[in-house]
Amino acid sequence: MNEQLKLLIGLQEIDSVILTIAEGIELLPNKLEKGRTILKEAGAAFEKIKVKHEEANSRKKKKESDLEEIQGKINKLKSKGSEIKTNREYEAHLKEVKTFEDNKYQIEEEILSAMETLDSLSKDIKKEEAKFKKTEENFRHEEKLLEEEKNRLHSEMEVFKIKRKDIAKRVNEEIYEKYMNLIKSSGGLAVVQTQSEICLGCHTNIPPQLYNDIRSTQDIFNCYHCNRFLFYLTTDETAPGGKGK
Ligand SMILES: [Zn+2]
């Protein structure tokens, strides 16, 4: 095989890997963003239930002060009982006391109900807190893993960049320029395999004569359609990693 073509195949192999690594690095912040959204939602749910609890608690406190107030009125009213002289006045007095007592009973019921609500909300707070803490823990863990993944990808990238430099400097300048233009214009794929008279880059047919030349000479040829460098692999060689289109 033409020495330059061999180098191009090697270069493409490395560039495909570098591209995949770069894509992997680019995806990392997105992955973390999802976790951050979930954590935010869990935090908001926890805050919401705490606010609900606070509101219920202040409603209960208000009822308790209402109760105190009404108890004061009842006491005051009852102490006046001894000053009553007529039956009619006494009846009116009893009626008044009863109205306050009924009111007081009503408030006591409301306080009991508020206490039940608070009890249930306290349980909800504990649940949401546990959920939030677990979510936060998961997020921190994920954050750490992604950071490690990022470092790993970056150092892997460095290794491939060094390998790339070594090959690139051996490629003929003109060919290298053509290669780089193709990399930019053809989705990172400049060197492709031919198989069954088809260019595996653009999937169009290669004229039989050209296909034969590629196979027999193993020289540098380009696809008529997509312009990519073409190569033919004999069975004892392995195809370099790359993606279609
Ligand atoms: Zn093509």
Side-chain angles (χ1 to χ4, degrees), residues 130-150:
K131 213 160 126 188
F132 173 68
K133 281 192 173 158
K134 184 80 199 147
T135 310
E136 192 175 34
E137 201 181 291
N138 288 343
F139 177 73
R140 297 292 165 225
H141 182 64
E142 199 190 356
E143 197 174 38
K144 194 171 152 264
L145 287 184
L146 288 174
E147 188 60 32
E148 283 167 8
E149 174 77 351
K150 193 170 108 185

Side-chain angles (χ1 to χ4, degrees), residues 58-116:
S58 56
R59 276 200 300 275
K60 178 180 153 256
K61 276 187 178 154
K62 169 81 174 62
K63 290 287 165 201
E64 281 166 348
S65 94
D66 288 352
L67 183 66
E68 239 173 76
E69 195 186 321
I70 207 150
Q71 188 60 58
K73 280 180 186 168
I74 291 170
N75 291 347
K76 209 169 158 191
L77 205 59
K78 279 185 176 169
S79 70
K80 277 184 188 167
S82 53
E83 299 161 17
I84 292 168
K85 301 211 168 52
T86 67
N87 271 347
R88 215 170 137 185
E89 267 175 6
Y90 191 65
E91 262 171 43
H93 169 77
L94 283 184
K95 222 174 183 177
E96 203 176 357
V97 170
K98 187 173 183 305
T99 305
F100 279 119
E101 295 274 10
D102 285 349
N103 205 343
K104 180 186 154 192
Y105 178 75
Q106 174 75 28
I107 293 171
E108 280 171 343
E109 286 291 303
E110 283 167 2
I111 289 173
L112 276 179
S113 153
M115 282 164 84
E116 276 169 25

Side-chain angles (χ1 to χ4, degrees), residues 6 12 19 159 195 209 218 228:
K6 256 189 207 168
Q12 176 67 71
L19 204 70
V159 172
Q195 223 173 45
Q209 186 51 50
Q218 301 271 297
R228 288 182 174 105

Side-chain angles (χ1 to χ4, degrees), residues 19-31:
L19 204 70
T20 306
I21 295 173
E23 280 168 0
I25 291 172
E26 230 171 88
L27 284 177
L28 291 179
N30 244 350
K31 284 186 190 167

Side-chain angles (χ1 to χ4, degrees), residues 192 199-204 223-228 230:
V192 294
C199 159
L200 292 189
C202 66
H203 299 282
T204 54
C223 173
Y224 286 151
H225 185 70
C226 69
N227 216 23
R228 288 182 174 105
L230 297 170

